[in-house]
Amino acid sequence: MNNSDLAEQLAAAHGVTKTDAKKLVDAVFAAIGDAAAKGEEVSLNGFGKFKVKASPARDGRNPSTGETIKIKASKKLVFTPAKAVKDKLNG
């Protein structure tokens, strides 16, 4: 499922146009991205949590040459599903 598919389902379920549903889907994802950029946790009841996790700088290896390289510190967005979602996935 992609953004357009999600927008189509919302439009059909709630009687809005596909264009309006697409705008809403895009706005939700933009809000999650904006909150993550600020380092905030986004908790959606019954669905899960989006958190920003910091990865420290570390040494790595170039797989083709075996040369040691420095990997910069970075941040990533991680998702932890809620119990209800886990239960749906596991029967």
Side-chain angles (χ1 to χ4, degrees):
M1 177 178 277
N2 59 32
N3 291 13
S4 296
D5 296 337
L6 184 58
E8 284 182 31
Q9 278 193 340
L10 287 174
H14 297 286
V16 296
T17 66
K18 288 181 187 177
T19 304
D20 289 343
K22 178 92 169 95
K23 288 178 186 176
L24 291 172
V25 168
D26 291 343
V28 168
F29 290 129
I32 291 171
D34 291 345
K38 295 176 188 173
E40 297 175 2
E41 179 179 295
V42 178
S43 180
L44 305 172
N45 291 337
F47 186 68
K49 291 182 184 180
F50 293 94
K51 293 188 248 186
V52 177
K53 184 176 178 183
S55 295
R58 64 191 192 280
D59 290 334
R61 293 214 178 265
N62 181 331
S64 61
T65 65
E67 177 187 0
T68 300
I69 58 173
K70 295 284 185 185
I71 301 172
K72 293 180 183 179
S74 63
K75 295 178 185 176
K76 61 183 177 179
L77 188 62
V78 295
F79 175 73
T80 305
K83 184 179 183 322
V85 173
K86 287 182 190 177
D87 290 345
K88 281 184 181 182
L89 291 174
N90 296 310

